[in-house]
Amino acid sequence: MAEELSSLQKKEFTEAFGLFDKDGDNTISTKELGSVMRSLGLTPTDNELLEMVSEVDVNASGSIELPEFLKMMATHMSATDSDVEMETIFKIFDKKGQGYITAMELRHIMANLGEKLNDEELDEMIAAADSTNTGRVSFDDFVNMVTSK
């Protein structure tokens, strides 16, 4: 995954890694990760820190080495890109910027995609996606609808 990072990103993340590696041993321990997270206003428990490290610690050393850190950041960057793309698509559909898509907007979207839906089919589609039973599809509902295939 680190191959997906640009050379500039690799350089920046390598510098950040050096800042996290407080004792200069070329690893980030759970203690160092906790210090960084607390400096950002977060309050992870010891168990949460252990879990975070274990998720990326492929060699089971109990700490994060630079290649593992770069892989973690590449994964994070990829997920962030997907979130931004989803938001962009939702905003295109939510023409009035209200934070939801109405039945009329959904009908227009589906027609533009070549799907002619009758009122009953449209109601079923909204009911399936609408977790709050408002007759509207929120951003979270939209994400769930799009990613649940």
Side-chain angles (χ1 to χ4, degrees):
M1 285 250 175
E3 299 81 45
E4 295 176 15
L5 296 171
S6 70
S7 58
L8 178 61
Q9 287 172 319
K10 284 181 186 178
K11 181 180 182 231
E12 289 173 349
F13 290 140
T14 300
E15 288 175 14
F17 181 87
L19 295 174
F20 297 160
D21 178 19
K22 301 286 186 194
D23 61 6
D25 66 351
N26 294 319
T27 64
I28 299 173
S29 66
T30 54
K31 182 180 178 183
E32 290 167 327
L33 182 61
S35 295
V36 170
M37 294 188 76
R38 282 187 278 286
S39 74
L40 297 171
L42 303 171
T43 55
T45 65
D46 288 342
N47 284 340
E48 289 170 330
L49 291 168
L50 285 170
E51 188 176 315
M52 287 177 203
V53 169
S54 70
E55 285 176 9
V56 297
D57 183 19
V58 278
N59 65 358
S61 66
S63 58
I64 303 171
E65 287 84 23
L66 180 60
E68 294 167 334
F69 182 74
L70 291 175
K71 180 180 180 182
M72 177 180 71
M73 295 311 296
T75 302
H76 174 74
M77 296 297 289
S78 176
T80 301
D81 290 346
S82 296
D83 293 345
V84 169
E85 288 173 14
M86 280 289 198
E87 278 186 57
T88 302
I89 292 168
F90 184 80
K91 287 177 182 177
I92 290 169
F93 296 153
D94 178 19
K95 295 198 182 297
K96 296 177 184 173
Q98 299 169 311
Y100 57 84
I101 300 170
T102 64
M104 183 184 295
E105 289 167 328
L106 188 56
R107 178 178 283 117
H108 180 73
I109 292 162
M110 297 309 290
N112 284 340
L113 294 173
E115 295 287 327
K116 301 270 186 204
L117 299 177
N118 63 37
D119 288 339
E120 186 177 326
E121 292 169 322
L122 185 63
D123 289 342
E124 286 175 17
M125 185 177 218
I126 289 176
D130 178 17
S131 65
T132 57
N133 297 320
T134 59
R136 302 171 177 162
V137 178
S138 69
F139 176 71
D140 289 337
D141 293 336
F142 176 77
V143 170
N144 289 334
M145 180 176 70
V146 170
T147 58
S148 68
K149 291 290 175 183

